[in-house]
Amino acid sequence: MVEPRALGVGYDVIEQLLTGRATVSLIVGILVVKTLIWSLSLGSGTSGGVLAPVFMIGGAVGAAESLVFPHVIPGFWAMMGLAAVVGGVMRSPLTGVVFTLELTHAWGAVLPLLISSTAAYALSALLLRRSVLTEKIARRGLHLTREYSTDPLETFFVEEVMERRPLLLEGRDGVAVAIQLTGDAGGSAGDGRRLVPVLTDEGATGLVTTREQLLEALARDADLQGSSTVADVCVPSPVTLRPDDTLRRAAYLFAEHGVTQAPVVGHGPDAHVVGTVTLHHLLHARRHDLTEEHHRQRLLPGSRRRDPDAVPT
């Protein structure tokens, strides 16, 4: 009743906006009425269209800007608004540029279209958790990963987080001496599940043992009056990593073999153990990602909203 031209897909309205023939009453009517209609439609939980309303609202926003900004060509600012709203609302900046060019054939405006669409996408990615295409799914309680996010484990290599001076045992060492060395290391060394790389005279790599295995060997020696060495109780590690492996690969191997630590062996025929990686080291990438997110939110006042999924720092 207030603005009938806001109903339907509105292709004729979009054409008027993009050609610079829209009146002030049409621009204001579309901005107010179409935005209200679309918000009520999406907010009610019904399945409604997205593309045409975004075109109309984006074009109206740009046309309203043309009333203030300097004149370039007819419909220039409407094109910028359409590309920006599509790129920001749908999180698809290139789609906004292509759609605008298909509607107008204004190939000379490619660069400003790219700037406006990319800027809107960047602002949307910084301030909003999801796009309009996935928000309704998330509100229904379905698990949804954040679009276009980078796995933090993929951005770090093993050599960046590994323990570079791990405790190493000689294969010829006696079990009692090895137990004393692992106990003197302190910290988590007392955990019987802690993995300790073993160096043998034959130069074999990837051999490991644990404090628990050493204690069991010492108990057997006491019963049988034997004299076991570390070489007698070491076993090949189920997982061996390289310095240039990503933490994502390390996490996959940990999950596949059910382990939480692995030795890191260098490259080459004479490669030796250069470090160890544990589950604690894998958390370094996640902590770095959380730190970056925290600093980003502090720089943007509009994003200071409490995230129910956030991890306290």
Side-chain angles (χ1 to χ4, degrees):
M1 295 175 60
V2 177
E3 182 53 74
R5 290 173 292 185
L7 301 176
V9 293
Y11 291 145
D12 55 335
V13 174
I14 297 174
E15 180 184 4
Q16 295 181 48
L17 292 170
L18 294 180
T19 55
R21 295 185 290 107
T23 61
V24 176
S25 61
L26 176 61
I27 295 172
V28 175
I30 294 299
L31 282 177
V32 175
V33 178
K34 188 63 177 180
T35 302
L36 181 61
I37 292 174
W38 194 45
S39 300
L40 292 174
S41 175
L42 294 182
S44 64
T46 61
S47 298
V50 174
L51 198 58
V54 167
F55 280 2
M56 294 180 67
I57 296 173
V61 170
E65 294 173 347
S66 67
L67 303 177
V68 180
F69 293 163
H71 177 75
V72 182
I73 58 174
F76 175 82
W77 293 110
M79 289 189 292
M80 298 302 109
L82 190 151
V85 172
V86 172
V89 172
M90 301 180 63
R91 298 280 180 89
S92 52
L94 294 180
T95 301
V97 174
V98 172
F99 276 164
T100 306
L101 291 176
E102 287 181 342
L103 291 173
T104 62
H105 295 175
W107 306 107
V110 171
L111 182 58
L113 286 173
L114 282 172
I115 295 174
S116 62
S117 182
T118 304
Y121 164 73
L123 187 64
S124 173
L126 288 173
L127 297 181
L128 302 178
R129 295 184 60 193
R130 303 179 182 90
S131 71
V132 68
L133 301 177
T134 54
E135 180 65 27
K136 289 175 62 176
I137 299 177
R139 289 186 179 184
R140 292 176 181 174
L142 300 177
H143 174 68
L144 185 69
T145 57
R146 184 170 181 172
E147 317 96 283
Y148 312 115
S149 61
T150 302
D151 186 354
L153 295 179
E154 191 70 28
T155 59
F156 286 89
F157 293 102
V158 167
E159 62 181 349
E160 298 181 72
V161 301
M162 68 181 183
E163 185 178 348
R164 296 183 178 274
R165 295 181 179 179
L167 173 64
L168 299 177
L169 297 177
E170 296 285 347
R172 60 178 177 269
D173 290 340
V175 171
V177 175
I179 292 175
Q180 183 179 1
L181 291 174
T182 56
D184 293 342
S188 61
D191 185 358
R193 296 172 296 175
R194 187 192 182 201
L195 175 147
V196 183
V198 177
L199 302 179
T200 63
D201 296 334
E202 293 78 13
T205 58
L207 299 177
V208 295
T209 188
T210 63
R211 183 177 173 84
E212 183 180 17
Q213 292 172 336
L214 295 172
L215 292 173
E216 291 176 353
L218 184 62
R220 289 195 302 267
D221 286 350
D223 295 337
L224 303 177
Q225 296 183 355
S227 181
S228 300
T229 63
V230 175
D232 297 329
V233 297
C234 66
V235 295
S237 175
V239 175
T240 301
L241 299 172
R242 299 288 183 177
D244 55 356
D245 287 336
T246 64
L247 295 188
R248 183 177 183 180
R249 170 174 168 77
Y252 281 158
L253 292 176
F254 281 8
E256 180 181 357
H257 297 278
V259 300
T260 59
Q261 46 201 329
V264 182
V265 180
H267 294 281
D270 300 328
H272 59 280
V273 176
V274 296
T276 57
V277 168
T278 66
L279 188 61
H280 175 75
H281 294 124
L282 297 186
L283 296 178
H284 170 80
R286 185 55 182 162
R287 287 195 300 269
H288 180 272
D289 188 59
L290 289 175
T291 301
E292 292 294 322
E293 185 78 14
H294 176 68
H295 286 301
R296 186 181 71 182
Q297 290 181 354
R298 287 198 306 177
L299 293 174
L300 295 171
S303 63
R304 290 179 179 174
R305 297 176 300 177
R306 180 169 179 81
D307 186 352
D309 300 329
V311 177
T313 57

